[in-house]
Amino acid sequence: MRSCYRPFKKRRSNVLELEAVSYRYPGSDREALSNVSLKFTPKSSTAIVGPNGAGKSTLVRLMNGLLRPSSGRVLLCGVDTAKKSVAELARRVGVVFQNPNHQIFAGSVREEVAFALKNFGFPEDEVGCRVSSALERLGLSRYADSSPFMLSSGEKKRLTIASVIVYEPDILVFDEPTVGQDYRNKAIIGGIVSEFVSSGKCVVSMTHDIDFALNYFERVVVLSEGMVRADLGVSEFGLDGSFMHGSRLVPTEAMFLKELMRIVEFKGVYEPGALAEHIARRICG
């Protein structure tokens, strides 16, 4: 597979860093992640894209300490996370997991969102204000006193997002945040990404949703077979779809359109069938 790996550099100091991190699950004959080195800075947004089995969910669990590297180090503000408990890391690294059923547990939607705030010692009056604001933002206010287990899958996902953004962690990590969301709710989640970045925080999202990555993130990392295949600014990623097929990613309609415009402008006019064949070869391999 051709590699497009070029480290995406920023001058700001790193808030989270993976140094040559590898991880192998017990009993497995292969590494889920292999020699992954990535740096994340404050006031930044990174989308990590890749097919199923690429290692994205493993990466999430390494970021918040649920897993510890088989080799290499994960650093939070320069401190090895191996020296910190999961509880200590949770205040700084907020994670929204892929399956909301693995994250919700409280008797009501309101209690679910309030749990972390109470656990972290926020004042009671501030808890109420923050919970109401988060529920309204994610379109869940009417369900405040309902059981979270009665919500739809898409609503459960937004509930888990609310329960993390409510305490404003320094690093916000999403695992497939747009699953089960319509266009309006994707835009709401994208707005949350933008707001967190504007406030100086770091946002990282594992996603299959290439359009979401292109619209709301400044950097895209391509992960495939446990390795980093590309590390690009979002504009460069959007213009170069040549590595998509090798990483088993599905090009977006916008990528096809950009390639079409490039061909018409620089390569002349094709017959419709030949044009379609040329685009398919360029983008899909």
Side-chain angles (χ1 to χ4, degrees), residues 25-207:
Y25 286 97
S28 175
D29 59 355
R30 70 178 186 88
E31 291 181 325
L33 287 177
S34 179
N35 198 37
V36 170
S37 293
L38 292 169
K39 298 177 180 180
F40 305 94
T41 63
K43 204 172 184 179
S44 70
S45 58
T46 302
I48 299 180
V49 302
N52 290 331
K56 300 191 301 298
S57 292
T58 301
L59 187 56
V60 169
R61 286 163 173 77
L62 286 162
M63 286 178 170
N64 77 335
L66 287 177
L67 297 177
R68 307 293 182 171
S70 301
S71 62
R73 298 193 302 169
V74 179
L75 304 175
L76 180 62
C77 295
V79 177
D80 192 335
T81 58
K83 299 177 181 179
K84 300 287 186 180
S85 68
V86 174
E88 288 176 306
L89 295 173
R91 181 64 183 90
R92 302 289 303 278
V93 184
V95 175
V96 178
F97 292 102
Q98 183 172 358
N99 188 339
N101 291 320
H102 295 166
Q103 197 163 351
I104 60 176
F105 60 89
S108 73
V109 167
R110 190 191 310 277
E111 291 170 352
E112 185 74 40
V113 180
F115 176 80
L117 294 172
K118 293 178 178 179
N119 197 41
F120 293 140
F122 282 75
E124 187 174 345
D125 58 342
E126 187 175 351
V127 170
C129 180
R130 283 175 174 259
V131 169
S132 295
S133 177
L135 290 177
E136 182 177 358
R137 184 65 198 274
L138 274 302
L140 298 171
S141 296
R142 59 179 171 161
Y143 303 118
D145 298 314
S146 301
S147 167
F149 300 100
M150 299 301 293
L151 302 179
S152 69
S153 59
E155 290 164 345
K156 287 178 182 177
K157 188 71 173 187
R158 298 203 304 280
L159 173 58
T160 58
I161 293 173
S163 69
V164 173
I165 68 168
V166 72
Y167 65 88
E168 299 181 357
D170 297 327
I171 304 165
L172 177 60
V173 181
F174 291 117
D175 195 353
E176 302 293 350
T178 60
V179 171
Q181 308 303 319
D182 59 18
Y183 179 82
R184 175 180 175 276
N185 285 313
K186 284 186 183 182
I188 289 172
I189 297 168
I192 290 169
V193 172
S194 300
E195 288 178 12
F196 262 66
V197 172
S198 295
S199 68
K201 298 180 184 296
C202 171
V203 181
V204 182
S205 179
M206 316 296 156
T207 183

